Amino acid sequence: MSAKKILIIQTDDIYFLHETLQVLSANSSDLTDFELSLLVSPGSLEIMQGIGIHLPKGITTDINHILTTKYDLSFNLSLNEAAWQIHSEVKAGKKAGAYYQGKDLIVNGPWCAWFTTFKGNTPFVTFHMREIFRQILGLKKRNSESETPSVAKTIIVGMSDSDFFPKDQQEAFLTGLVRRFPGIQVLDESEVSAENDHSSSLYIGPASMKALILSESGARGIYFGSRFQGLNLLPEKEGTILITTGGKKLDAQSLLGILEIILKEKESKPAEHLNIYRLSMENVFGAYMQCLNGKEISYPFYQAHLVLWNYLLAFQDVNLDIVTPSPEQIEIVNSQLEIVTKLLRLHNYAMVSVDGVYKEAKSNESRAETISKNISTLIEVDETLDKIAVSNPFLRPILDFYKIRKGQVEGETLLEKSQNSLITYSEEHQALNAFAELLTAISKKK
């Protein structure tokens, strides 16, 4: 009996391809009974070959070959619309991930729909990219052997944007590293090769592809950036540290002070304007950015989204230790809570309209005028939700997710379609209610 053929489309940039390859490598034992093809972009493949990353046997850039082959399963892990079109032309018994069907965008499965919301510039990445791809592919997380952090013998410094980390401050930082940590070799990232073993190295710099690849070679990481972006470009590794400045410029003294706390275990307080996060893998739902210091505006929303999406996508109840918010955070949370409350009232009109269409469709004497009026109301409500989503980034992932889900309503008859629509609108209503409850709990945390 021939092996089942699986196609994975990953034509996004190098980061997405790297994370896809890492998932396939970690789960290679789960895929031994399948014939795997992986469609990638020529540019990303060339970079990967140059870096020396191990490439699977079935990797290809030949679109024509892909479109003339029959597959049992095809998965689209790409966000670009060209990949959506390719996926629509693929011959596969079952498809997961975005593809066009005529003019309609089909996105099967909740994880695929949630991943597609990234097109809306989400404020942070709630789940690690590898976890997202594992969920879409139906693969289980394979735990690697726990690593015992070794003493850092080398510090690798990553290149930084001078608008964020001024050049004079970068020079002062390098001088301070040599003075405060004698005996530890300090290298620029351009001086090291990712092909070498870096288990005794510590990378310090912005999150980047080079840093991610160094992490795969064993390096621990302390990453810094202007604002909290969740798990974006971070390795899936216990103990990874992220430092953000809340939009302010980074200075050498504050960063050196953090390193002394971390590397020398000094009991001193970090600079007030710095936010410090530690990546934890202790929770059943995967990677989590635990706040160790700071009151960044977006963090309460990150915690709320983590709880909400675990429930909606993975059907898991997550109990987090909610960080007591600052007065400024409470003010923003309450302003968003007020918007959600208004959204729920608006959403009630949509629920009534969907129910009205359903009742008319079920009636023996349905009235076209009543159905048309209710559909017009639904269109108006959804257009208003779209406008609210654009100006409210912490709400947008929820509204975009259900916009996609509402576009997937199945059914041959008006009755079937209205019944399925009622279910989807009800789920959205419950999700908004749950989000409001989470924001309320955060605002009242003492």
Side-chain angles (χ1 to χ4, degrees):
M1 186 176 178
S2 59
K4 282 189 174 182
K5 290 186 176 182
I6 295 179
L7 170 66
I8 297 174
I9 301 172
Q10 182 47 276
T11 56
D12 285 337
D13 66 28
I14 185 78
Y15 168 55
F16 293 91
L17 176 55
H18 178 268
E19 298 302 85
T20 300
L21 291 174
Q22 293 303 317
V23 168
L24 296 179
S25 176
N27 291 80
S28 58
S29 60
D30 300 320
L31 301 168
T32 52
D33 295 333
F34 300 93
E35 183 182 330
L36 180 66
S37 296
L38 177 62
L39 178 66
V40 303
S41 72
S44 293
L45 179 59
E46 185 178 353
I47 294 172
M48 281 297 181
Q49 289 171 329
I51 293 172
I53 298 293
H54 172 72
L55 301 174
K57 180 181 177 182
I59 196 166
T60 181
T61 61
D62 190 344
I63 297 174
N64 290 330
H65 173 70
I66 292 298
L67 296 182
T68 54
T69 304
K70 289 185 178 180
Y71 299 93
D72 296 285
L73 301 166
S74 63
F75 299 89
N76 183 13
L77 303 184
S78 304
L79 292 172
N80 69 81
E81 296 180 21
W84 300 353
Q85 184 59 46
I86 293 169
H87 199 205
S88 70
E89 299 175 31
V90 167
K91 300 178 181 69
K94 187 176 180 181
K95 298 182 180 183
Y99 65 94
Y100 288 113
Q101 192 171 75
K103 293 183 179 180
D104 297 326
L105 180 64
I106 306 300
V107 187
N108 293 324
W111 277 95
C112 294
W114 186 77
F115 178 51
T116 307
T117 65
F118 282 25
K119 294 282 282 186
N121 295 321
T122 54
F124 40 68
V125 179
T126 307
F127 296 101
H128 199 280
M129 197 60 64
R130 296 184 196 180
E131 180 62 23
I132 298 167
F133 290 159
R134 281 193 294 265
Q135 291 289 345
I136 293 174
L137 295 171
L139 299 173
K140 292 182 179 180
K141 178 174 173 55
R142 297 300 177 193
N143 294 320
S144 57
E145 293 182 6
S146 58
E147 300 177 11
T148 302
S150 57
V151 176
K153 297 179 181 178
T154 303
I155 293 178
I156 303 169
V157 181
M159 293 182 63
S160 301
D161 181 354
S162 59
D163 288 337
F164 167 64
F165 196 5
K167 287 186 177 180
D168 63 325
Q169 291 299 310
Q170 292 191 48
E171 291 171 3
F173 174 65
L174 290 172
T175 301
L177 278 180
V178 174
R179 188 179 69 251
R180 297 195 192 193
F181 302 97
I184 297 180
Q185 185 181 30
V186 178
L187 298 174
D188 184 88
E189 64 177 354
S190 62
E191 300 178 88
V192 299
S193 170
E195 295 181 15
N196 298 331
D197 176 22
H198 291 288
S199 55
S200 60
S201 298
L202 175 68
Y203 170 85
I204 301 170
S208 66
M209 268 307 304
K210 180 66 178 286
L212 196 57
I213 293 170
L214 286 172
S215 173
E216 293 303 321
S217 301
R220 287 184 289 154
I222 297 176
Y223 303 85
F224 53 70
S226 178
R227 297 189 184 278
F228 179 75
Q229 294 185 332
L231 293 158
N232 188 36
L233 274 172
L234 296 179
E236 194 180 32
K237 182 179 286 189
E238 179 77 34
T240 295
I241 298 293
L242 173 66
I243 301 168
T244 64
T245 62
K248 298 179 181 178
K249 292 183 184 296
L250 184 62
D251 66 279
Q253 285 302 113
S254 297
L255 185 56
L256 287 167
I258 293 288
L259 295 186
E260 294 222 319
I261 294 171
I262 295 171
L263 297 181
K264 294 185 177 180
E265 298 181 347
K266 285 194 172 183
E267 295 185 6
S268 57
K269 193 173 182 180
E272 288 186 3
H273 68 283
L274 293 184
N275 308 286
I276 307 173
Y277 307 93
R278 178 184 179 275
L279 191 149
S280 171
M281 296 293 295
E282 296 176 356
N283 298 288
V284 294
F285 53 79
Y288 167 55
M289 297 306 294
Q290 180 184 13
C291 182
L292 304 180
N293 183 77
K295 299 292 182 182
E296 198 159 3
I297 291 300
S298 59
Y299 190 73
F301 296 97
Y302 165 72
Q303 289 199 300
H305 275 269
L306 189 66
V307 174
L308 180 69
W309 291 115
N310 265 283
Y311 179 73
L312 295 176
L313 300 175
F315 307 107
Q316 294 182 140
D317 288 322
V318 174
N319 294 314
L320 291 180
D321 183 14
I322 299 297
V323 177
T324 302
S326 68
E328 187 180 8
Q329 286 176 320
I330 291 174
E331 183 180 351
I332 301 299
V333 167
N334 284 338
S335 69
Q336 289 293 291
L337 183 56
E338 186 177 340
I339 293 171
V340 178
T341 302
K342 291 178 180 177
L343 269 179
L344 284 166
R345 288 200 292 266
L346 177 65
H347 207 267
N348 283 328
Y349 289 107
M351 295 282 289
V352 171
S353 295
V354 174
D355 187 52
V357 173
Y358 173 65
K359 287 178 178 177
E360 287 297 322
K362 193 168 62 171
S363 172
N364 293 328
E365 299 179 359
S366 59
R367 294 164 292 180
E369 183 180 345
T370 302
I371 292 174
S372 178
K373 184 178 179 181
N374 282 320
I375 290 175
S376 295
T377 300
L378 284 173
I379 292 172
E380 289 177 10
V381 169
D382 284 340
E383 287 177 348
T384 302
L385 293 180
D386 287 344
K387 292 176 182 177
I388 292 171
V390 170
S391 57
N392 291 275
F394 298 129
L395 284 172
R396 182 162 188 170
I398 303 171
L399 298 178
D400 282 357
F401 176 78
Y402 282 102
K403 180 180 180 179
I404 294 168
R405 298 286 282 172
K406 285 181 283 191
Q408 314 302 309
V409 172
E410 298 178 351
E412 297 294 329
T413 66
L414 178 61
L415 178 60
E416 291 173 342
K417 289 182 177 180
S418 60
Q419 188 175 24
N420 290 330
S421 288
L422 186 59
I423 293 171
T424 306
Y425 273 95
S426 297
E427 289 177 359
E428 183 178 28
H429 200 79
Q430 291 171 5
L432 289 170
N433 258 320
F435 193 58
E437 290 175 5
L438 287 166
L439 295 184
T440 300
I442 289 170
S443 69
K444 292 182 178 179
K445 173 70 176 179
K446 302 296 184 184

